Amino acid sequence: MNKKNIITILLALVAVAGQAKTFKTIKNPVAMACVNVSSSELKAREVIFRDTATTVHFTMKYSKGQSFQFVSSAEGLKLNTWVQSPESGITEFTMHFAPLPKKIQIFDFIEGDGTRAFKLLGIHDKKAKLKVPTMQELTEANPWAVPEDWFKTDTITVKGRIEGYDTEQFGFTSMECFFQNVFEKDDATQVLDIAPNGTFYKKFQASYPVCQRFYTLESKVGFSEIPFFARPCETIDITVRKDDNGRYVCVYNNGSSRDAARWLRTREEITDVISPLVLFEGTFDEGNSLADNVWQNAMYRLQTVSRREHYTPMEMQLALAYVQTRFVYYYMSYAMNRRYALMKQNESAEWQDLADAKSYYHLRHFDFDDPLLFASSDFPYLLNRIQYAQPATRALFSTAGQQRLDNYYAVLREMLGSKDNTLIAQLCLYQQMLTESRRWQTDKESKYAMFSNTFTHTYVKAKADEFYSRLMAQTELATPIPDAPMADLIRSLCAKYPGKILMIDFWGMGCGPCRYAIQESKELRTGIAKRDDVKLVFIAGERTTEGSDAYKKYVAEWLADEETVCVTNADFTRLQELFQFNGIPHYETITPDCRRVRDDLRIDGYDNFDYKLQRLLDKLK
């Protein structure tokens, strides 16, 4: 066995023989990443290699009073028993595993099969010299040409069957996909219904190949997601069944998912090592140093997993793009979080560094014209983080007219290390156009032209023209609500408040901005409640329609005597699909005849509420 291969020990516990021979001990080993141990840390403090077993002494640092559990027993822990973190916050325990090969340099510890299992990845001696490939070496060793029709707008169909499906046993009847098309103004959460016989079928539109997943948080059987990779115009047929070890797996019967099956199954094994970047809370200089190590770990990990799984060149290229996208998304998320942490120190040197495009030098390693980046489920988030990076937003809002767009591109060229306006830079401005178009009341043609004239990428320009054509074709102030699941709820609310405009506030207990908006607008809503032409409705998703105790307490304090509707999380997802939104808070405006007001006229929150309402009333006369 190659001594640089990673071996995973997945709670394969063994007893330690009394006369075991020790051939290596690692004191204070380092790990590439600690995964799924939220706000805490799992560390290996010593590893002992014996001819009969591998022994790992662990330390779990967990907040005082919080509980955790492992799915198997260990010295110091009990099987499947919740352990409360002590006063010190430190719990020490020991596990014994089957012996590892003597030449092994690096290994993983994964606590169980579940997607939320504790993981300690890439455990090794800090003195070990790991040979890390460069991205260029991996790319050149796996040549693969991107198909010419990579960018195409058409439907994707996902269908198949879950073998042995039983509604009561499995605990869910639908799954959801948090889907985003970066060329469209509205997000489009997709709901996949599971028939009683286990079959499923979903068709949706895409503008480029996507790597996505349908998932559920309600599973009782350990199976919770169906990942897939598909190109527009494809139908992907999937069978979900148990493997020889009794674990549910996805079998791809055709199409791009079948071609990329090994990558789909193992892609998170690679990108998990990038997680320390988004969780880091140190200074920006320290974050940039950490980013160097994280990238090296990701390249090492990619090489190891791809060799073990025998990735094809196509899978390797998809994996490289996926790693880059995840890295940039997490790196820019760290920078964003760091900016928020320094809001009260906006004159500091670090604050100035965060506003300086030159500081983001890690971005210059990547090709932001690469169409493969679109295939990552993280791509919309990468785009968002670059679009709203502090240097970029400063440039965009420092001037007006065409000059601000020129300034914006100039900053992005510096950030991304390009002499030209890359595909990603153009998409950032495309997204800005979609956002601003919601406020275009007059002179739409010249406002659109200002953006459109900057788009040199053929597909971006074509999609922009399509968007503008649809925008100018809008003549109706409101459109009928589609005859879809949960539409009857909206119709019943209209019937309950005849003659009134409804402003629906979609919110949730886990959404800080939602609660902030509700609390800040309480006094304003007292005045709104006295009006006879508008009614506020608050819809939230919970596990049950009764809501949790926390939900009930919050409603009693902040939404007493107002129209509140609690639906199951599954039904809330159907409302997201109905109104095409992913994030909350989200606001919809419904006319008295139960029609959905178009987005440039809807009341999108509580700021300037009276003005927005009066504008709509005037239009509806």
Side-chain angles (χ1 to χ4, degrees):
M1 177 177 292
N2 187 312
K3 67 178 181 180
K4 292 184 174 61
N5 279 354
I6 293 177
I7 288 190
T8 295
I9 51 178
L10 181 62
L11 288 183
L13 300 178
V14 298
V16 180
Q19 300 300 319
K21 179 181 178 182
T22 299
F23 58 84
K24 183 169 66 174
T25 299
I26 304 176
K27 297 281 189 179
N28 299 314
V30 294
M32 292 180 174
C34 175
V35 182
N36 294 333
V37 187
S38 303
S39 303
S40 305
E41 185 180 21
L42 175 65
K43 295 182 66 175
R45 65 182 187 275
E46 185 178 57
V47 181
I48 303 172
F49 296 87
R50 299 186 177 93
D51 54 5
T52 56
T54 299
T55 298
V56 184
H57 298 293
F58 291 101
T59 298
M60 173 70 88
K61 295 181 179 179
Y62 225 65
S63 301
K64 170 189 170 184
Q66 296 294 311
S67 297
F68 62 90
Q69 70 170 333
F70 283 78
V71 298
S72 190
S73 59
E75 295 176 17
L77 295 177
K78 293 183 179 179
L79 170 68
N80 282 332
T81 300
W82 287 101
V83 177
Q84 189 175 67
S85 188
E87 186 79 19
S88 65
I90 296 175
T91 302
E92 295 184 344
F93 57 96
T94 299
M95 288 185 172
H96 306 288
F97 307 91
L100 296 179
K102 292 184 178 182
K103 294 183 178 180
I104 198 69
Q105 278 191 313
I106 184 169
F107 65 93
D108 300 334
F109 165 72
I110 300 178
E111 173 257 341
D113 290 330
T115 57
R116 301 303 301 166
F118 294 151
K119 300 178 184 179
L120 196 57
L121 304 178
I123 303 169
H124 63 282
D125 191 331
K126 59 185 176 183
K127 299 177 184 178
K129 294 182 179 180
L130 305 178
K131 184 177 180 181
V132 180
T134 66
M135 184 168 62
Q136 182 177 358
E137 288 172 341
L138 293 176
T139 299
E140 292 176 351
N142 296 272
W144 180 72
V146 178
E148 291 185 3
D149 62 346
W150 188 258
F151 290 116
K152 179 171 74 172
T153 299
D154 209 323
T155 57
I156 288 173
T157 302
V158 177
K159 69 173 188 176
R161 179 171 177 266
I162 304 173
E163 292 185 354
Y165 175 79
D166 176 84
T167 301
E168 189 65 30
Q169 178 188 354
F170 277 64
F172 60 91
T173 58
S174 65
M175 306 177 84
E176 63 186 274
C177 175
F178 198 74
F179 178 67
Q180 292 175 273
N181 184 336
V182 299
F183 289 107
E184 297 299 325
K185 183 165 55 176
D186 297 314
D187 296 329
T189 291
Q190 302 293 324
V191 178
L192 181 74
D193 289 310
I194 314 297
N197 65 355
T199 58
F200 52 84
Y201 181 95
K202 189 66 180 182
K203 178 182 287 189
F204 58 93
Q205 185 169 281
S207 299
Y208 45 84
V210 296
C211 173
Q212 269 293 351
R213 65 185 182 119
F214 284 99
Y215 70 94
T216 178
L217 300 178
E218 308 297 328
S219 177
K220 298 178 182 178
V221 295
F223 159 68
S224 61
E225 66 176 33
I226 301 175
F228 63 93
F229 173 59
R231 296 173 60 189
C233 203
E234 274 194 305
T235 295
I236 304 296
D237 184 76
I238 305 170
T239 303
V240 180
R241 61 165 63 110
K242 287 185 177 180
D243 64 10
D244 294 339
N245 296 315
R247 294 175 293 195
Y248 284 96
V249 296
C250 292
V251 178
Y252 303 102
N253 302 309
N254 70 320
S256 295
S257 288
R258 182 174 181 177
D259 295 338
R262 289 165 291 267
W263 169 62
L264 280 173
R265 188 181 68 251
T266 57
R267 70 195 190 286
E268 297 301 331
E269 285 188 45
I270 302 165
T271 55
D272 271 343
V273 298
I274 305 175
S275 60
L277 196 52
V278 75
L279 300 173
F280 188 63
E281 296 180 349
T283 68
F284 194 36
D285 281 344
E286 293 169 340
N288 273 325
S289 296
L290 174 65
D292 286 325
N293 294 331
V294 166
W295 180 252
Q296 294 296 308
N297 291 342
M299 288 296 95
Y300 182 88
R301 189 87 179 171
L302 173 55
Q303 176 178 259
T304 302
V305 174
S306 64
R307 284 178 175 175
R308 185 194 72 205
E309 299 294 328
H310 305 290
Y311 278 7
T312 64
M314 170 187 168
E315 288 177 310
M316 175 59 86
Q317 295 295 339
L318 288 170
L320 276 165
Y322 199 78
V323 168
Q324 292 175 70
T325 309
R326 176 67 58 88
F327 177 87
V328 174
Y329 167 39
Y330 279 10
Y331 173 65
M332 297 304 290
S333 294
Y334 156 73
M336 178 188 70
N337 293 334
R338 190 61 191 159
R339 182 181 66 184
Y340 291 153
L342 293 173
M343 291 293 282
K344 295 181 180 179
Q345 304 175 39
N346 57 14
E347 298 299 326
S348 68
E350 185 180 359
W351 176 268
Q352 297 304 319
D353 285 343
L354 285 162
D356 187 349
K358 298 185 184 70
S359 300
Y360 298 81
Y361 58 84
H362 288 288
L363 301 182
R364 295 170 201 150
H365 302 318
F366 307 122
D367 179 7
F368 288 100
D369 282 312
D370 185 358
L372 282 170
L373 299 177
F374 284 73
S376 169
S377 56
D378 289 330
F379 181 72
Y381 310 116
L382 171 151
L383 197 61
N384 175 274
R385 294 299 187 264
I386 294 177
Q387 179 188 353
Y388 292 109
Q390 191 171 8
T393 53
R394 274 193 174 188
L396 186 64
F397 299 114
S398 61
T399 53
Q402 184 67 47
Q403 185 61 48
R404 72 190 184 108
L405 304 190
D406 294 340
N407 292 347
Y408 188 69
Y409 273 132
V411 168
L412 288 183
R413 286 196 298 272
E414 189 166 25
M415 281 186 65
L416 306 183
S418 173
K419 295 179 180 179
D420 302 312
N421 297 333
T422 62
L423 171 57
I424 301 306
Q426 292 180 52
L427 272 175
C428 285
L429 207 57
Y430 181 101
Q431 286 282 308
Q432 187 64 30
M433 178 191 71
L434 296 184
T435 299
E436 293 187 14
S437 69
R438 301 177 191 273
R439 302 189 295 273
W440 290 351
Q441 296 296 313
T442 60
D443 202 19
K444 295 181 181 180
E445 183 176 0
S446 63
K447 290 174 180 175
Y448 169 70
M450 184 174 63
F451 283 92
S452 176
N453 290 338
T454 72
F455 300 144
T456 58
H457 190 279
T458 304
Y459 196 65
V460 175
K461 182 64 167 63
K463 299 302 288 185
D465 288 344
E466 286 178 21
F467 162 74
Y468 180 65
S469 296
R470 293 196 303 268
L471 181 68
M472 297 306 290
Q474 283 185 331
T475 57
E476 297 292 330
L477 301 178
T479 55
I481 295 175
D483 188 14
M486 299 307 292
D488 285 344
L489 170 63
I490 308 303
R491 296 188 183 104
S492 70
L493 290 167
C494 289
K496 185 175 181 179
Y497 298 103
K500 291 191 176 186
I501 291 173
L502 302 184
M503 191 198 90
I504 304 177
D505 182 335
F506 292 97
W507 70 288
M509 284 297 294
C511 170
C514 299
R515 297 196 309 275
Y516 177 82
I518 288 172
Q519 291 162 207
E520 287 294 302
S521 64
K522 188 170 185 179
E523 184 176 341
L524 171 67
R525 299 199 313 273
T526 300
I528 296 173
K530 297 175 183 178
R531 301 186 62 132
D532 60 5
D533 53 3
V534 65
K535 181 65 181 178
L536 304 182
V537 179
F538 298 84
I539 301 180
E542 291 273 307
R543 290 185 66 86
T544 67
T545 55
E546 291 77 27
S548 62
D549 290 341
Y551 169 83
K552 294 174 185 175
K553 181 180 179 181
Y554 187 86
V555 167
E557 181 177 1
W558 294 103
L559 294 169
D561 303 320
E562 300 198 58
E563 180 64 47
T564 57
V565 179
C566 185
V567 299
T568 64
N569 289 325
D571 281 342
F572 192 85
T573 302
R574 296 183 190 282
L575 286 166
Q576 289 180 282
E577 184 176 41
L578 175 66
F579 288 112
Q580 294 183 299
F581 70 94
N582 283 332
I584 52 175
H586 178 79
Y587 306 97
E588 290 287 340
T589 308
I590 310 297
T591 63
D593 59 348
C594 209
R595 292 162 63 87
R596 182 190 186 193
V597 173
R598 73 188 194 204
D599 58 8
D600 61 322
L601 291 174
R602 74 185 181 207
I603 306 169
D604 56 353
Y606 304 101
D607 293 337
N608 301 315
F609 184 91
D610 291 338
Y611 165 76
K612 293 173 184 176
L613 176 60
Q614 190 58 52
R615 181 186 64 183
L616 178 58
L617 290 170
D618 292 343
K619 292 282 188 180
L620 292 174
K621 286 181 180 178

